[in-house]
């Protein structure tokens, strides 16, 4: 049984911090279909449209009937462990530093045999297992074999933690604790076992409901931070930057209206200043130091979470300039993801539908409670996801965008969308 | 499906076994090794480049060249050329391709060459980019290379048939004994069962002496007509039958049997002799689990009963079942694609009365088996040939 994770000891200052290494990341183009699904937490394989054969590894043609129609479908992952090994030698630097490493061969009920990273709680073969698809440190899809039924401390498995970003015993920086969502995120992280939580708050002279209560949490330290002020960010980064394992950027500026319903560019400029340039400033100060700690023992830097919006994917005219600033932030987040990849630090983008706060007062339900957004963020960290679409509105947007992005644009222009 | 009777290999001679002494690491390229093999072949046959009108080449590390570029590199102008990228099955396949070319008259003197180098980091690079499936679905899982793939199989076979590490160890120890008299083997010290069992684990249940050691080396042989061989006074062997198969039993969840099981009846029917008639056997031995699988699938014992077979035989050159008589890859070393030639070249030496080590007494018939290309979860190529003594030195 997995031993429960222990609070990490203080870092020995004499020991050199290891350089981050990555598992092999080269994949064929067709195999990236698995990564697309794994980024959202699904295990998908190709299933032939003609003969229904499920195949693996991914191919360019059906291995049974040669059809080229090979849609990706979700697989339940149940199967039989037919063989196992534990590697004590590896050709690759990343695994060489991590042996012993347990692997299994699983015959999926869906058909194919798959090689998997094997969770320590799976009993020796023959055994029933549940295979899931995770992103590894290189951001690539890999299959992991789990015990069929959950067991205690499962998340603490040494190998599994290479694929997840569980906040337990980790030190987290939440950039804005003044919003309802920011406060919910802090509480959820505290409940998830975060070791320390630094919470930024702009304009500290303004008394905001709830902030004082947050301060009562033993993990929490408030830090004055204004993401529009480079000096403020630099100051905070110099204080806590080298200790941050997970950064959650909750800072956002949100006003309603589009182009003609508002005069001037002051509001739009503020939205860009916080939502886009704020992310850029944070990334410039915290990115390099987190990258340097990608392999810093049990609690190395693991994740950077961006609170975006489903409006980043297509403009919601009623909140038009806000949508534009979130689209800009999304584009920058992709750049950040590419730059954090060599360190194995995961960039998680969260795309909630309208949150039930004062800035969405005039939008009809369903609206997401701040708590639901916070829970989605913690779940994404625990499951090691990369893109998260919490709530019914976000899910519907995803589906309609996939079905017809242009058609959906027309519907949004006509006032639909939420 | 096949209604036409398969032609036999009458009139074909296989001659001039060449081994270029192996080294653990080499700063030379694969081209160098294959060039040495060709030079050795010409010298051994007492002929010149101009006498060679067919060439067949195997080598993993020729990239970016193929056999074509190698011809200019070596200054050879053949009228028949083949490049066989089948790893451990290359020798058997080269033999059957070359034999048909000679029979058909497309070529008369075919040089079959295999060689690879081993730089300090080349094995890792080969494993990392071995195939699309390996890159997508194997290498990211611990990057153990073939050790991990065969660990899965060994774990499965041990659990389902009861065969033990001691049984596998008996094969490895006997091969080491055979290697001690073979001058080109890289392993020169005797191996005891105790040393085998207590060696450091590599990928459970595989330990150090279950795994071949990558090295550099080259092998070659000549395929021509009996008339030519006789006119040049070359001792030769005859081909009684051959088989090859690719991607056998794709529905099997794990590779507990290979293509030999599909084709062995065909092999022995062509040969007119059976497994009981073999005086020596050269199986492809990258791991002992694969050696044992070939003994079963080629009909030396029933499926799943390799354990009893191993326990009832001795595998030295003078034993009851001479197996991998030069020590096999496990004791000589695995020189890339040349590993697929090693058994065939050794069988030729034994059948033509020119062994470099201990001779197998009265060697009349030999079976040579090949296996190669772990593309994803299994080796895709299998093949075998039955050879008989033609004319002896």
């Amino acid at each position: 049984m997995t031993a429960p994770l222990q609070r990490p000891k203080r870092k020995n200052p004499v020991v050199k911090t290891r350089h981050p290494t990555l598992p092999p990341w080269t994949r064929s183009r067709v195999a990236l279909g698995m990564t697309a699904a794994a980024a959202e937490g699904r295990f998908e394989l190709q299933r032939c449209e003609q003969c229904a054969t499920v195949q693996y590894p991914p191919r360019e043609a059906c291995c049974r009937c040669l059809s080229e129609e090979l849609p990706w479908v979700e697989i339940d992952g149940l199967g039989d462990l037919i063989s196992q090994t534990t590697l004590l030698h590896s050709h690759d630097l990343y695994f060489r530093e991590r042996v012993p490493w347990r692997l299994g061969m699983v015959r999926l009920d869906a058909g194919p045999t798959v090689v998997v990273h094997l969770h320590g709680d799976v009993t020796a073969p023959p055994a029933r297992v549940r295979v899931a698809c995770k992103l590894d440190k290189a951001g690539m899809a890999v299959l992991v074999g789990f015990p069929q039924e959950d067991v205690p401390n499962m998340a603490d498995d040494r190998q599994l933690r290479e694929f997840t970003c569980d906040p337990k015993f980790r030190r987290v920086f939440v950039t804005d604790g003044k919003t309802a969502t920011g406060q919910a995120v802090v509480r959820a992280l505290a409940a998830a076992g975060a070791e320390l939580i630094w919470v930024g708050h702009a304009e500290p002279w303004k008394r905001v409901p709830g902030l004082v209560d947050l301060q009562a949490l033993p993990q929490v330290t408030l830090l004055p931070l204004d993401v529009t002020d480079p000096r403020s960010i630099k100051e905070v980064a110099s204080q806590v930057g080298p200790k941050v394992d997970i950064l959650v950027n909750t800072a956002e500026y949100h006003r309603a209206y589009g182009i003609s319903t508002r005069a001037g560019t002051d509001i739009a400029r503020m939205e860009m200043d916080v939502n886009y340039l704020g992310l850029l400033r944070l990334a410039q100060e915290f990115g390099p130091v987190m990258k340097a700690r990608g392999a810093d023992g049990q609690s190395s830097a693991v994740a950077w979470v961006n609170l975006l919006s489903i409006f980043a994917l297509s403009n919601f005219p009623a909140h038009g300039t806000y949508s534009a600033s979130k689209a800009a932030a999304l584009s920058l987040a992709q750049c950040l993801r590419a730059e954090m990849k060599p360190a194995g630090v995961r960039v998680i983008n969260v795309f909630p539908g309208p949150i039930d706060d004062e800035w969405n007062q005039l939008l009809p339900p369903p609206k997401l409670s701040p708590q639901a957004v916070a829970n989605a963020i913690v779940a994404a960290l625990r499951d090691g996801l990369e893109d998260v679409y919490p709530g019914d509105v976000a899910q519907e947007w995803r589906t309609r965008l996939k079905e017809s992005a242009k058609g959906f644009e027309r519907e949004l222009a006509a006032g639909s969308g939420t | 499906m096949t209604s036409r009777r398969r032609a036999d290999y009458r009139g074909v001679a296989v001659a001039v076994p060449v081994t270029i002494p192996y080294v653990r690491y080499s700063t030379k390229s694969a081209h160098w090794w294959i060039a040495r093999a060709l030079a050795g072949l010409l010298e051994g046959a007492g002929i010149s480049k101009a006498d060679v009108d067919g060439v067949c080449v195997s080598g993993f590390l020729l990239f970016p060249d193929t056999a074509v570029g190698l011809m200019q590199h070596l200054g050879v102008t053949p009228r028949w050329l083949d490049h066989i990228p089948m790893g451990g099955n290359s020798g058997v396949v080269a033999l059957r391709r070359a034999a048909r070319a000679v029979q058909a008259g497309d070529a008369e003197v075919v040089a079959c060459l295999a060689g690879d180098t081993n730089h300090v980091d080349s094995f890792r690079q080969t494993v990392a980019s071995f195939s699309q499936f390996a890159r997508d679905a194997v290498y990211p899982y611990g990057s153990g290379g073939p050790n991990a793939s065969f660990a899965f199989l060994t774990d499965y076979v041990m659990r389902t048939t009861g065969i033990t590490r001691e049984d596998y160890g008996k094969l490895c120890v006997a091969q080491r004994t055979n290697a001690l008299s073979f001058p080109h083997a890289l392993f020169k010290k005797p191996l005891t069962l105790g040393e085998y069992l207590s060696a450091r684990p590599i990928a459970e249940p595989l330990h150090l002496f279950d795994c071949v050691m990558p090295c550099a080396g080259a092998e070659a042989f000549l395929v021509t007509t009996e008339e030519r061989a006789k006119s040049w006074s070359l001792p030769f062997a005859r081909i009684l039958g051959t088989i090859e198969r690719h991607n056998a039993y794709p529905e099997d969840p794990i590779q507990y049997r290979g293509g030999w099981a599909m084709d062995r009846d065909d092999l022995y029917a062509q040969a007119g002799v059976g497994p009981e008639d073999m005086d020596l056997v050269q199986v492809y031995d990258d791991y002992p689990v694969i050696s044992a699988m070939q003994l079963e699938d080629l009909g030396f014992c029933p499926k799943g009963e390799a354990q009893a077979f191993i326990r009832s035989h001795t595998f030295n050159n003078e034993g009851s079942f001479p197996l991998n008589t030069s020590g096999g890859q496990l004791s000589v070393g695995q020189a890339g694609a040349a590993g697929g030639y090693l058994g065939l070249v050794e069988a030729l030496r034994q059948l033509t009365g020119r062994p470099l080590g201990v001779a197998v007494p009265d060697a009349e018939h030999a079976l040579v088996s090949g296996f190669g290309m772990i593309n994803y979860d299994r080796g895709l190529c299998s093949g075998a040939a039955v050879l008989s003594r033609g004319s002896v030195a």
Side-chain angles (χ1 to χ4, degrees):
Chain A
M1 192 188 287
T2 305
L5 197 69
Q6 300 298 309
R7 169 172 283 117
K9 293 199 179 77
R10 272 183 81 87
K11 190 177 166 183
N12 181 347
V14 176
V15 176
K16 179 183 179 298
T17 304
R18 297 194 84 101
H19 289 286
T21 53
L22 295 183
W25 62 83
T26 314
R27 299 288 192 281
S28 64
R29 186 170 290 172
V30 66
L32 292 175
M34 283 180 66
T35 294
E40 297 176 27
R42 294 189 309 276
F43 173 23
E44 292 184 354
L45 293 179
Q46 292 175 312
R47 187 179 63 202
C48 176
E49 193 72 8
Q50 300 299 324
C51 73
T53 298
V54 174
Q55 64 180 4
Y56 181 86
R59 292 163 162 92
E60 303 287 358
C62 172
C63 63
R64 185 151 171 265
C65 75
L66 295 181
S67 164
E68 58 172 340
E69 292 176 73
L70 301 165
W72 294 89
V73 299
E74 195 155 7
I75 300 292
D76 70 8
L78 293 175
D80 294 311
L81 179 71
I82 52 179
S83 131
Q84 68 170 343
T85 183
T86 299
L87 293 185
L88 291 121
H89 171 273
S90 174
H91 298 288
D92 180 81
L93 276 183
Y94 172 87
F95 286 110
R96 189 172 175 271
E97 293 180 337
R98 286 163 178 80
V99 292
W101 194 267
R102 192 177 185 218
L103 302 168
M105 262 183 130
V106 176
R107 173 71 161 201
L108 292 173
D109 295 351
T113 295
V114 296
V115 173
V116 300
H117 299 291
L118 197 57
H119 190 284
D121 285 320
V122 175
T123 54
R128 288 292 286 171
V129 289
R130 181 174 52 80
V131 174
C133 194
K134 299 281 179 191
L135 297 176
D136 66 11
K137 281 277 183 201
M140 292 298 176
V142 288
L143 300 178
V144 182
F146 291 89
Q148 193 175 5
E149 308 292 338
D150 284 359
V151 295
N153 310 318
M154 234 167 111
D156 297 348
D157 179 71
R158 181 179 63 90
Q159 288 184 199
L160 179 57
R161 280 177 58 83
E162 291 291 317
F163 312 125
T164 64
C165 314
D166 198 320
K168 189 172 175 183
F169 294 135
R170 283 199 161 105
R171 297 164 298 186
V172 190
F173 176 38
V174 179
T175 58
D176 186 1
K178 292 179 88 169
T179 65
T181 302
Q183 290 176 10
V185 167
V186 172
R187 290 184 188 286
L189 288 165
E195 177 79 5
L196 288 170
I197 308 173
W198 296 285
V199 181
H201 61 133
E203 299 167 323
W205 57 89
K206 286 189 188 166
R207 311 263 313 170
V208 173
L211 201 58
V212 179
D213 298 340
L214 274 194
Q215 209 164 5
L217 292 172
Q219 301 93 333
V220 169
T221 306
L222 295 184
L223 296 169
L225 173 70
D226 176 357
V227 300
T228 67
D229 176 2
R231 219 164 14 171
S232 165
I233 293 184
K234 207 176 263 296
E235 202 165 299
V236 172
S238 69
Q239 282 176 53
V240 303
K243 302 174 203 162
V244 173
D245 303 324
I246 298 172
L247 186 150
V248 185
N249 184 18
T250 54
E252 69 167 5
Y253 192 86
H254 185 180
R255 297 291 182 271
Y257 306 123
I259 298 168
S260 55
T261 42
R262 191 195 288 143
T265 57
D266 289 352
I267 296 292
R269 191 188 298 270
M270 271 306 289
E271 283 166 343
M272 289 300 276
D273 207 11
V274 175
N275 299 349
Y276 169 69
L277 292 171
L279 171 58
L280 179 56
R281 293 183 194 103
L282 287 165
Q284 284 177 340
E285 292 299 332
F286 284 87
V289 66
M290 286 180 75
K291 278 176 78 171
R293 287 191 52 250
D296 193 13
Q298 178 184 301
S299 302
S300 47
V302 283
W304 179 301
V305 183
N306 294 308
L307 180 62
L308 301 174
S309 162
I310 197 67
F311 300 165
L313 299 185
S314 191
N315 193 281
F316 180 57
H319 293 211
T321 56
Y322 170 77
S323 299
S325 72
K326 288 293 187 179
L330 167 59
S331 184
L332 191 68
Q334 289 172 319
C335 177
L336 180 64
R337 185 175 281 158
E339 293 192 11
M340 297 299 267
K341 184 201 153 183
V345 176
R346 184 157 304 165
V347 173
I348 301 173
N349 288 335
V350 185
F351 301 90
I355 297 170
D356 198 0
D357 62 18
E358 60 269 47
W359 308 109
N360 290 318
Q361 186 202 340
L362 296 181
L363 296 185
K367 291 189 270 193
L368 270 174
S369 72
Q371 187 59 46
V373 177
N375 291 345
I377 289 173
V378 169
L381 288 165
R382 282 179 171 155
D383 291 339
L385 308 188
E386 189 169 280
D387 294 309
V388 192
Y389 304 89
D392 295 336
V393 172
Q395 290 296 327
E396 193 190 273
W397 273 53
R398 276 283 285 165
T399 309
R400 288 164 74 181
L401 279 168
K402 259 191 228 166
E403 287 167 2
S404 169
K406 180 56 73 178
F408 188 47
E409 183 194 309
R410 288 289 182 281
E411 291 185 82
L412 288 171
S416 159
T418 68
Chain B
M1 199 167 100
T2 44
S3 55
R4 239 182 100 189
R5 215 181 90 81
R6 184 206 292 261
D8 61 26
Y9 292 96
R10 199 162 307 179
V12 176
V14 192
V16 198
V18 172
T19 297
I20 304 302
Y22 290 13
V23 295
R24 173 74 168 108
Y25 291 115
S26 168
T27 54
K28 311 285 195 200
S29 69
H31 302 65
W32 185 91
W33 285 95
I34 294 175
R36 299 292 18 100
L38 176 60
L41 198 65
L42 298 177
E43 192 193 339
I47 59 176
S48 73
K49 271 200 291 193
D51 295 317
V52 172
D53 63 352
V55 178
C56 185
V57 178
S58 295
F60 285 113
L61 300 176
L62 278 172
F63 183 85
D65 285 355
T66 66
V68 180
L70 191 67
M71 292 306 96
Q72 189 172 38
H73 199 113
L74 302 179
V76 185
T77 310
R79 60 179 174 134
W80 181 94
L81 179 65
D82 203 352
H83 186 161
I84 296 180
M86 297 186 193
N89 206 30
S90 297
V92 168
V93 173
L95 176 76
R96 54 199 318 262
R97 302 276 194 281
R100 292 309 187 196
V102 166
Q103 278 187 316
D106 290 345
E108 196 178 354
V109 180
V110 180
C112 295
L113 313 167
D116 263 311
T117 188
N118 187 40
H119 304 325
V120 167
D121 195 36
S122 56
F123 185 71
R124 183 188 68 84
Q125 290 173 7
T126 302
V127 169
S129 57
F130 195 75
S131 69
Q132 178 174 321
F133 284 1
R135 255 186 359 193
D136 286 347
V138 183
Y139 198 63
Y141 296 81
S143 312
N147 292 335
S149 304
F150 286 96
F152 283 135
L153 181 60
T154 307
D155 173 71
Y156 178 85
V157 173
M158 285 174 70
R159 198 177 52 257
T160 52
T161 72
I163 195 166
T164 64
R165 289 198 63 223
E166 284 79 357
D167 298 317
Y168 290 135
K170 183 175 174 184
L171 292 178
C172 297
V173 167
Q175 287 190 202
R176 181 62 59 86
T177 305
N178 296 345
L180 294 179
S181 70
F182 181 71
H184 300 327
L186 289 182
F187 290 88
K188 306 215 174 277
K189 285 193 292 191
L191 176 69
T192 67
L193 188 60
E195 286 165 343
Y196 168 88
L197 292 171
S198 62
R200 70 183 166 92
I202 301 292
E204 293 286 2
L206 300 180
H207 292 232
L208 186 63
F209 296 115
D210 291 302
C211 310
V212 281
M213 184 173 80
C215 65
E219 307 265 348
F221 58 88
L222 199 68
V223 178
T224 186
T225 60
E226 283 194 24
E227 296 80 58
R228 274 282 186 185
K230 283 172 186 161
S231 74
W232 287 337
S233 305
L234 299 177
F236 64 88
R238 294 194 176 92
I239 306 169
L240 299 189
T242 71
I243 51 171
E244 75 177 82
R245 179 68 62 176
H246 306 280
N247 195 28
Y249 305 116
E251 305 299 328
D252 286 353
I254 188 168
Q255 186 172 36
Y256 67 95
R257 55 183 174 171
W260 312 281
M262 291 179 80
D263 301 304
R264 66 162 182 248
D265 292 347
D266 175 21
L267 176 70
Y268 295 125
Q270 289 174 55
V273 291
E276 64 286 352
D277 299 313
M278 298 303 140
D279 301 304
L280 60 117
V281 173
Q282 312 285 352
V283 294
Y284 189 80
D285 65 327
D286 48 357
Y287 297 83
V289 67
I290 284 297
S291 298
M293 185 192 292
Q294 286 160 86
L295 296 175
E296 294 174 352
D297 292 349
L298 286 162
F300 294 101
C301 64
K303 192 68 195 165
E305 294 183 20
Q307 180 180 46
F309 183 82
I310 290 169
R311 290 182 179 184
S312 65
H313 278 286
T314 53
F315 299 96
N316 303 341
N317 289 7
E318 293 166 304
S320 63
F321 192 93
L323 179 72
N324 293 357
T325 53
S326 64
Q329 297 181 79
L330 284 169
S331 280
V332 179
Q334 180 178 56
Y341 269 54
L342 180 139
L344 180 45
V345 169
E346 167 63 10
L348 275 182
R349 278 191 290 256
Q350 293 284 353
L351 291 175
T352 55
R354 300 198 295 190
L356 297 175
V358 172
V360 174
D362 307 317
E364 188 75 33
H365 291 112
L367 185 143
V368 179
S369 164
F371 175 70
M373 308 309 283
I374 313 294
N375 190 55
Y376 166 49
D377 60 338
R378 60 195 69 197
L380 293 189
C381 309
S382 63
V386 175
L387 303 175
S388 74
R389 181 157 57 180
S391 89
V392 181

